[in-house]
Amino acid sequence: MKRREFITKAGIAGLAAAGAAAVAPAVHASQKSTIKWRLQTYAGPALAEHVIKPQIDAFNKAAQGEMVIELYNSDQLVPTSELFRAMQRGTIDAVQSDDDSIGAPVDVAVFAAYFPFASRYSLDVPTLFNHYGLKEIWEEAYSEVKGVSWLGAGAWDPCNFATREPIRSVNDLKGKRVFTFPTGGRFLSRFGVVPVTLPWEDVQVALQTGELDGIAWSGITECYTVGWADVTKYYLTNNISGAWAGSYFANTDKWEALPEHLKTLFNLSMDSSNYYRLHWYWWGEAHYRTKGGKLELTSIPDAEWQTVEDEAFKFWDEIAAKSPRNAKVVAILKEYVDTMRKAGKPYRY
């Protein structure tokens, strides 16, 4: 369904429902109608099969007809960059994405998706949120925004380059037109990368036509899952982040209207989805490097790559200067990095 048709029909349906309510007979309290939500994910169809569809299918089954969530893929109803406003308006009810991509009007949005070198492994993300205070900071930030509730964060895959030409030095990044995330793109531009924004579904064609030189949007698991390994040739093993930090969001009125047992069920389904992705990506990142057969692995020497990591910490300080809350997050990230280094193997090598 086209987005314009969807919005138009949603408006007509609302008017029809209002008219029907004026003449409908009283319904007995025991005859409760099914709660219906529309949830849009950041992911295209092939990727959504792993990162969210199992969760939604399980939730709908467990809800036993009390609630049904209709799942929509990337840009299917609303462009990703407009998802936050669409939730506020109630055009859609919930979102799975990252704060950065959906244009969330909170200062901490900059830390979502791939904040450079904030994580080394996927377990870093839930650890930071649940044991280092990021959860409370996100709750505070979203309490200042009307209409949207932040429900929780989870970890996805790392951020590596998949390219048409090999990357073997930092200089090879110069001039490369790369599909990536907003904050990650701003950081990579320091090394000559040209960030490109496209609808997710257009990326594969853009790689085939040469409009894009590569992507810095995922790890190798997604490259194979969604078909990008078919239109790129090389995969850089160095990454700028060990895990994408994504979240779930909902229209506040719709969330608060849910009975407590359905809120609990949805939270449990989020936890289940977060767990599935931890092991699916951990399996896939090693499996496709060793047995994928389509992408040639390249690497930038550690000593040279260290210059990129050092630049990231300068970037952190610039972000910290944007607001007191950002400064608090950066202080936590620095404490975490220091703790992991002191802990040594297997936390840091």
Side-chain angles (χ1 to χ4, degrees):
M1 187 185 295
K2 299 293 185 180
R3 285 192 292 270
R4 182 173 295 175
E5 292 176 356
F6 161 74
I7 293 170
T8 301
K9 291 181 179 179
I12 293 171
L15 291 173
V23 298
V27 178
H28 193 276
S30 64
Q31 294 177 312
K32 295 180 180 179
S33 60
T34 300
I35 300 169
K36 292 187 178 181
W37 272 19
R38 301 180 185 91
L39 187 155
Q40 184 169 309
T41 177
Y42 73 97
L47 185 58
E49 286 289 327
H50 288 278
V51 301
I52 191 168
K53 190 175 183 296
Q55 170 198 354
I56 301 305
D57 289 346
F59 176 90
N60 288 340
K61 182 178 181 180
Q64 297 185 333
E66 286 189 67
M67 181 172 175
V68 173
I69 298 176
E70 297 173 353
L71 178 62
Y72 295 89
N73 299 318
S74 177
D75 301 310
Q76 192 171 356
L77 294 180
V78 181
T80 296
S81 61
E82 299 175 16
L83 279 174
F84 194 92
R85 302 302 181 191
M87 270 190 295
Q88 282 185 314
R89 293 191 303 266
T91 305
I92 55 175
D93 305 304
V95 165
Q96 179 205 47
S97 188
D98 69 273
D99 323 49
D100 198 25
S101 297
I102 66 175
V106 293
D107 46 7
V108 296
V110 71
F111 298 105
Y114 292 122
F115 191 65
F117 295 94
S119 62
R120 183 69 62 88
Y121 307 114
S122 54
L123 276 174
D124 290 339
V125 173
T127 301
L128 282 162
F129 273 89
N130 293 298
H131 300 282
Y132 278 76
L134 294 195
K135 177 178 180 288
E136 290 74 19
I137 292 173
W138 258 246
E139 288 173 341
E140 175 190 85
Y142 281 93
S143 71
E144 300 169 3
V145 179
K146 293 182 178 180
V148 171
S149 294
W150 175 80
L151 304 181
W156 273 251
D157 53 337
C159 183
N160 294 70
F161 285 86
T163 53
R164 291 154 52 90
E165 297 178 355
I167 304 294
R168 295 191 173 94
S169 74
V170 173
N171 284 335
D172 290 338
L173 297 174
K174 291 181 179 178
K176 295 292 187 296
R177 295 160 296 178
V178 173
F179 175 68
T180 188
F181 290 86
T183 298
R186 288 196 295 274
F187 173 69
L188 289 171
S189 66
R190 297 181 177 217
F191 304 95
V193 170
V194 181
V196 178
T197 300
L198 289 171
W200 192 92
E201 62 186 9
D202 294 341
V203 171
Q204 185 156 342
V205 173
L207 286 166
Q208 288 175 303
T209 61
E211 182 182 352
L212 286 175
D213 297 307
I215 57 170
W217 201 85
S218 71
I220 200 168
T221 307
E222 289 190 13
C223 288
Y224 278 85
T225 300
V226 307
W228 293 339
D230 298 323
V231 291
T232 54
K233 295 181 179 180
Y234 303 93
Y235 182 81
L236 181 66
T237 59
N238 312 75
N239 62 55
I240 67 163
S241 179
W244 189 72
S247 289
Y248 290 84
F249 310 83
N251 175 276
T252 299
D253 290 341
K254 292 297 185 68
W255 177 251
E256 293 181 349
L258 290 183
E260 288 302 315
H261 70 285
L262 288 179
K263 287 182 181 178
T264 299
L265 180 60
F266 189 81
N267 286 329
L268 288 170
S269 76
M270 286 195 305
D271 289 343
S272 176
S273 184
N274 290 339
Y275 170 68
Y276 174 81
R277 279 183 274 99
L278 282 177
H279 63 74
W280 182 63
Y281 279 120
W282 188 255
W283 161 80
E285 297 306 302
H287 172 81
Y288 289 112
R289 284 190 184 199
T290 58
K291 299 177 181 177
K294 295 179 180 179
L295 296 175
E296 179 181 336
L297 305 183
T298 65
S299 297
I300 296 174
D302 290 343
E304 186 179 356
W305 190 248
Q306 186 63 47
T307 64
V308 180
E309 187 168 357
D310 292 344
E311 188 65 27
F313 296 133
K314 298 177 185 177
F315 184 73
W316 287 15
D317 289 337
E318 294 172 14
I319 297 300
K322 300 288 185 181
S323 75
R325 190 156 48 213
N326 281 5
K328 188 175 181 179
V329 174
V330 168
I332 290 172
L333 294 178
K334 288 183 176 181
E335 176 193 358
Y336 186 73
V337 168
D338 183 59
T339 300
M340 294 298 105
R341 286 174 174 171
K342 289 178 179 177
K345 300 177 181 179
Y347 296 95
R348 295 292 185 268
Y349 286 84

